[in-house]
Amino acid sequence: MKNTTRYSRQIVLPEIGVLGQQKLRDAHVLVIGAGGLGCPVLQNLAAAGVGSLGIVDGDVVEETNLHRQFLYTLKDCGKSKAATAAEAILLLNPDVDVTVFSEFFNKKNAFEIIGNYQIIVDCTDSIGVRYLINDVAVTKNIPVVYASIYRFEGQVSVFNYKNGPSYRCLFPETESLKVVPNCVVSGVLGILPNTLGAFQATEVLKIILEIGSVLSGKLLIYDGLHFQTQLVDFDKNPAAIEKGRTNGLKILNQENTEIKALDREAFLEKCLQENCLVIDIREAYEEPEWKGANVVNVPLAALENYCNQLDKEESIVLFCQSGQRSQLALAHLEKEGFTRVSHLENGIESLTIAIINGNK
C-alpha cells in the first residue's frame, strides 16, 4: 500500500487498522449508475481508499443533475457521466484504479461488465435494470448494495450477501407497468440521494472489512422530511432466487438471440416503415420532441390500456428519454404476448445529441 497518511484517521480504528485498509485497497467494486446515488457512493468509496472502482452509465450530464450530483459542474453538461465522474474521482484520490463503462447496463453487456467485480452497488432508477442486476448477481453469487429514492424518502438493503435474500425476495416481479416513477416525474430533494448514497457506501465498506451488521434480510426506510427511520425484516424466498438464477443463466448462455435493442440507424429505419408503430412512452412535457407519421405519445402509465387494443403481432418500437423505461415496457409487452417489440437502446436524447453533433 502506497500512502497511509491519507487514511490515518480510519486506520486508527481497531475494526480497520492497516490490514483492513489493505482489504479496501484490494477490493473491486462496480457502481451501476453515476447519478444522484452513484455520485456520493463513488466519492465516499474513493475517499476511503477502495482500490478499484467500475463506473457504469450511458447518460450525459444535464443542468438538472447539478442540485444533487456533486461530482459534476456546469461546464460538464453534455459530457459522459461515467467519464466525467472518473476524472473527478481521480482528482479526489489518484491511487484509485477507475474503469469507465460509458454505456447503459443491459442484457448484452451485463456479464462482460461485471467480470471479476466483488460487490455491485445498484444506483439505478429503473425497475427493469434492478431485476437484471439481481439476476446476474445471483448467478455469479455477488452481493448487491441497493438503494432507491422517492421525493423525500429512501430505502437501502443488501442482497445476495452470504447466501441471503435477493432483490426478488423483497420485490416479486410485478406484471403491471404502474411502478414508482423516477425523479424526472416525481421530483427529489437534492440532499436525499446523497444521504442514501452514504448509507450504501457504508454497507460496502462493512462488507469489504467484514465488520458490523450488514443490511442483509433487512430494509432500512428513511423519511428525510420527518427524520424517521424504520427497519423491516424480510425472508429468503428460494423460488424467487431460483427464478433470478434461471434468468441469469439464460442471459449468460445467450439463449435470446433476437435483437430487441435498436441502435440509432435501426431506429431511424423503423421510423420510416409505414407498418411499424413507434410509441413514445415519455410524459408529454419531456423533450426533445420526436415526431413522425407513425409516432404516437403514450406515457408509460397508460401503455397497458393502450396496447390492449393492438394486434399482438404488430411491429412496435418503444422509446423514452434514456432507454430504461422503454426496456421495462418491452419486457411487459413480451409477457403479454406481443411478439414483435423492440426499443431504442439509449433513448431519444442520445439520438438527438448524435444528430446535433453531425453523427447521423
Side-chain angles (χ1 to χ4, degrees), residues 31-57:
V31 180
I32 303 179
L37 291 167
C39 283
V41 167
L42 289 164
Q43 287 170 303
N44 280 284
L45 295 184
V50 173
S52 296
L53 293 172
I55 307 174
V56 185
D57 202 311

Side-chain angles (χ1 to χ4, degrees), residues 59-60 62 64 184-185 280-291 297 319-323 325 346-353 356:
D59 208 351
V60 297
E62 299 178 359
T64 56
V184 173
V185 178
D280 178 356
I281 64 169
R282 299 175 298 167
E283 300 299 318
Y285 58 81
E286 291 187 68
E287 295 182 348
E289 290 187 64
W290 189 268
K291 296 182 178 180
N297 178 235
F319 73 86
C320 65
Q321 202 76 356
S322 67
R325 281 173 284 173
N346 294 328
I348 205 69
E349 191 170 63
S350 64
L351 176 66
T352 53
I353 288 173
I356 290 172

Side-chain angles (χ1 to χ4, degrees), residues 175 310-314 316 330-341:
E175 300 296 325
L310 301 179
D311 183 343
K312 292 188 175 180
E313 294 186 1
E314 183 168 357
I316 299 173
L330 183 149
H332 174 79
L333 291 184
E334 285 186 329
K335 287 178 184 176
E336 292 297 309
F338 286 83
T339 58
R340 301 176 63 200
V341 187

Side-chain angles (χ1 to χ4, degrees), residues 1-7 22 25 93-97:
M1 190 164 53
K2 295 180 181 178
N3 178 21
T4 59
T5 303
R6 175 189 294 266
Y7 314 113
Q22 187 62 52
R25 179 67 184 92
N93 189 348
D95 292 337
V96 177
D97 295 324

Side-chain angles (χ1 to χ4, degrees), residues 26-250:
D26 294 340
H28 293 70
V29 179
L30 182 68
V31 180
I32 303 179
L37 291 167
C39 283
V41 167
L42 289 164
Q43 287 170 303
N44 280 284
L45 295 184
V50 173
S52 296
L53 293 172
I55 307 174
V56 185
D57 202 311
D59 208 351
V60 297
V61 180
E62 299 178 359
E63 189 172 357
T64 56
N65 302 148
L66 301 182
H67 91 296
R68 64 193 184 280
Q69 300 176 22
F70 302 151
L71 282 177
Y72 313 121
T73 65
L74 194 60
K75 67 180 178 60
D76 296 320
C77 290
K79 298 179 181 179
S80 160
K81 276 190 178 180
T84 305
E87 292 174 2
I89 288 303
L90 290 173
L91 287 175
L92 173 64
N93 189 348
D95 292 337
V96 177
D97 295 324
V98 183
T99 303
V100 173
F101 302 92
S102 295
E103 53 192 304
F104 291 108
F105 192 77
N106 57 52
K107 291 181 179 180
K108 293 190 296 184
N109 61 24
F111 278 95
E112 181 180 356
I113 286 176
I114 287 179
N116 294 319
Y117 284 102
Q118 301 163 314
I119 302 171
I120 300 171
V121 192
D122 178 359
C123 299
T124 66
D125 60 0
S126 165
I127 301 295
V129 176
R130 287 174 187 154
Y131 283 115
L132 174 60
I133 291 172
N134 172 84
D135 297 347
V136 175
V138 167
T139 304
K140 292 193 60 117
N141 197 27
I142 302 173
V144 176
V145 181
Y146 151 86
S148 66
I149 52 176
Y150 177 67
R151 303 186 68 188
F152 298 96
E153 299 180 0
Q155 53 190 27
V156 186
S157 189
V158 175
F159 304 119
N160 309 331
Y161 178 68
K162 293 186 176 180
N163 202 31
S166 72
Y167 179 81
R168 288 183 180 275
C169 298
L170 180 60
F171 300 110
E173 196 165 8
T174 176
E175 300 296 325
S176 172
L177 288 174
K178 296 177 181 178
V179 296
V180 176
N182 61 25
C183 65
V184 173
V185 178
S186 61
V188 62
L189 180 68
I191 200 169
L192 182 71
N194 286 276
T195 302
L196 273 293
F199 288 169
Q200 284 182 286
T202 303
E203 293 304 302
V204 172
L205 296 183
K206 288 192 296 182
I207 292 171
I208 296 170
L209 295 167
E210 299 179 283
I211 61 174
S213 300
V214 173
L215 282 172
S216 176
K218 299 180 183 296
L219 181 70
L220 174 65
I221 301 172
Y222 173 75
D223 181 347
L225 192 59
H226 301 101
F227 201 80
Q228 295 178 343
T229 59
Q230 182 180 5
L231 198 59
V232 179
D233 293 328
F234 61 96
D235 296 325
K236 182 177 178 179
N237 183 334
I241 291 175
E242 185 57 32
K243 180 177 181 179
R245 184 175 291 109
T246 299
N247 289 345
L249 288 172
K250 286 181 179 179

